[in-house]
Amino acid sequence: MSVPPIAGDFVALLGRHQVSLLPSAASGAAPVETQATTVFAFRFAEGVLMAGDRRATAGNVIVTDQVEKVMELDDTSLLAIAGVPATAFEMARVLQTSFEYYRRSQLQVLSLPARVRALARLLRDNLPMTLQGVGVVVPLFAGVDASVQPAVPKIFFYDPLGAQFQAVNYAASGSGSGTIRSILAFQERHGSPRPSAMTRTDAVAFALRLLMTAAEFDSATGGVNPELHHFATIKILRPGGVETVSDDEQREALRGTEGRR
Amino acid sequence: MTEEPYRWLEAMGNRREYVREQLKGGSPVLAASLPEGILLLGVGTGNTKVFEIHDRLALAALGHPADLERIRQAAIDAAHLEAFTRAPEDVSLRRLVGFGLSAQIKLQYEQLFTAPVLGEFVFAELGAGPESDLLFRLHFDGTFSAESGGCALAAFPAEAENRIRDWLGTELRNVPTRAAAVRLLLEAWWLLSSGSWESSEIPAFAEREAGWRGAIAGKTVELGWLRRRAGRAVRYEPLSLETVLAETGDPNDSRS
């Protein structure tokens, strides 16, 4: 007797059609990998802000300064990737399709714990590549928890093996994350306002300055330069949905807070 | 016995009659292409009749809930596999219905010792403008057709469907708003479900309005909306009848 498929599971559907998900073996002659850094997320007064620079590197080569590392998975989920884009983008695509597939086929939204675990499962499936030192992805995830009233956005971070952790106020990943976590920890404890109490405009300006600072110490972080029109990818998650902060708005946020300093 | 051609034809005829008999009491479903999007409508007593399939695709159906569910699931599976292995832009109704669902349904219909699909389907694909919208009718025997005239409906008998589709296509040209279009679809639904389509003259507006308002009492009106202008890839949203009818709008409805 055959085992019935798991209802609404897109990965199982791919398996039934023998569509491979992620590469599971690497050659010893693998080229220098493209890497993407730095991403972070923190709570502010209206929800969660998730941001990332736009640089991708391979060794000491800058591959591009136009990568989008913060992705909208659906109305209530954001993913930020640090690590190898080839694997990370595929994970994002699998998750995007999986969440929508579940919602449409089962006529209900996938719960936040299930979404968090779906990413953990992809990371575990990527374990052979991770252990070989290629294809490592260390993502951040933010999702709206609708099981509580009022619904609240929450931040999660992972280790490369797939362990998931909930962050209280902030999380960061990638080569510039050390600097950013230090500033966030300091600001959350001693700052005024604390990031979790910031307005939208202040939070956007703060996020841009975090990236500027990280770029001072980490060559793989692209940073922000308004004069050269280099901005970050910033998305805001509220209980009501996702919003992208445009380059123009980032410029205005920086300009506005400069005047108040 | 079915190896003999005559017996086979007779068995198929019986099967067709059986399916029609089963479906004739089904509540009609309708879809209309409007300037701002595509509207789908179904009226039921609990079972869902209007569904999202993919970013720009939706379905409205009448028939046995288990069969509708099977076809809906097959459409969702095929659309998502296509979107994942190629791109969401490659998911097309023409291929989904023409090369996938139609063949599956026909095969099942012609296998005399399996249960046929008890369902009639209207599929919609949102285009860049109303002229590129696609509305498909898929029948219980696997036959399908692209509908012209900006509307499609599934109803029994076929004469009712044809007459009201022609009437609806003409009337749709005069609706200025989405709210007016919803009212018009409800009028069409009432004409079909009440048997008023058979009268030599289509009943007057006031009678149609009173008719659908009375007929939906105790029932659930489902509205699906494929929004043409949207910031996201997902264009489908369910609407509530109360919300849509409260939209500003109807004073210029030339039909009233």
Side-chain angles (χ1 to χ4, degrees), chain A residues 82-168:
Chain A
V84 177
T87 311
F89 286 148
E90 200 60 7
M91 285 182 179
R93 220 160 61 84
V94 170
L95 291 175
Q96 276 171 339
T97 313
S98 295
F99 294 174
E100 291 297 349
Y101 177 76
Y102 181 88
R103 184 179 63 76
R104 287 168 178 147
S105 64
Q106 304 303 302
L107 301 175
Q108 66 180 41
V109 176
L110 196 62
S111 69
L112 179 61
R115 279 181 279 155
V116 170
R117 280 185 213 130
L119 178 52
R121 183 167 76 166
L122 289 181
L123 290 169
R124 280 199 301 278
D125 289 348
N126 193 43
L127 197 56
M129 299 289 278
T130 302
L131 292 176
Q132 290 176 78
V134 290
V136 180
V137 177
V138 190
L140 303 177
F141 179 86
V144 175
D145 185 356
S147 67
V148 294
Q149 283 297 330
V152 288
K154 292 181 175 173
I155 303 168
F156 296 85
F157 59 100
Y158 296 79
D159 75 5
L161 304 185
Q164 68 208 31
F165 307 94
Q166 186 179 342
V168 177

Side-chain angles (χ1 to χ4, degrees), chain B:
Chain B
M1 64 117 181
T2 53
E3 293 83 21
E4 300 170 39
Y6 171 74
R7 298 278 190 185
W8 192 83
L9 285 174
E10 185 185 25
M12 290 301 289
N14 290 341
R15 193 171 172 83
R16 182 172 293 273
E17 284 310 307
Y18 163 74
V19 175
R20 284 181 171 157
E21 187 65 22
Q22 294 294 311
L23 291 175
K24 73 179 183 187
S27 176
V29 293
L30 307 97
S33 171
L34 306 174
E36 305 83 20
I38 298 178
L39 187 64
L40 298 101
L41 180 141
V43 182
T45 51
N47 291 319
T48 310
K49 302 173 85 70
V50 180
F51 306 97
E52 178 183 13
I53 299 297
H54 199 256
D55 292 352
R56 295 173 295 111
L57 268 56
L59 160 71
L62 72 86
H64 194 290
D67 284 336
L68 304 192
E69 178 55 29
R70 210 154 42 82
I71 298 304
R72 179 185 80 90
Q73 193 65 55
I76 289 176
D77 284 1
H80 285 75
L81 275 172
E82 176 76 9
F84 184 79
T85 51
R86 294 194 173 95
E89 292 77 7
D90 293 304
V91 179
S92 82
L93 197 53
R94 196 173 294 282
R95 293 172 60 235
L96 181 68
V97 172
F99 306 155
L101 297 175
S102 165
Q104 288 177 40
I105 293 177
K106 179 178 185 297
L107 187 66
Q108 186 163 345
Y109 179 69
E110 292 182 343
Q111 288 175 342
L112 287 176
F113 296 107
T114 62
V117 172
L118 299 179
E120 287 283 319
F121 307 89
V122 172
F123 283 90
E125 178 184 299
L126 187 74
E131 66 287 347
S132 52
D133 286 345
L134 279 178
L135 296 172
F136 268 73
R137 270 290 277 119
L138 177 62
H139 298 274
F140 63 84
D141 59 359
T143 55
F144 66 95
S145 56
E147 300 289 282
S148 56
C151 65
L153 48 138
F156 273 89
E159 304 81 60
E161 180 175 322
N162 293 336
R163 184 176 183 200
I164 298 303
R165 187 188 56 232
D166 293 343
W167 173 80
L168 185 60
T170 306
E171 293 290 311
L172 271 171
R173 295 180 200 138
N174 303 321
V175 293
T177 63
R178 184 171 71 174
V182 168
R183 288 168 56 183
L184 179 60
L185 291 193
L186 282 165
E187 290 170 29
W189 172 81
W190 174 75
L191 288 169
L192 290 162
S193 55
S194 68
S196 306
W197 65 272
E198 286 183 286
S199 56
S200 55
E201 292 282 322
I202 295 288
F205 175 80
E207 188 180 347
R208 300 196 305 263
E209 177 88 4
W212 72 256
R213 286 191 185 277
I216 64 168
K219 294 189 169 69
T220 307
V221 177
E222 279 185 82
L223 292 168
W225 177 242
L226 287 166
R227 182 188 296 274
R228 208 175 302 286
R229 304 274 173 258
R232 299 186 64 234
V234 178
R235 304 301 184 90
Y236 181 88
E237 62 177 304
L239 302 172
S240 87
L241 180 63
E242 293 72 25
T243 308
V244 177
L245 292 184
E247 288 173 358
T248 51
D250 272 40
N252 297 323
D253 186 350
S254 58
R255 300 175 308 111
S256 55

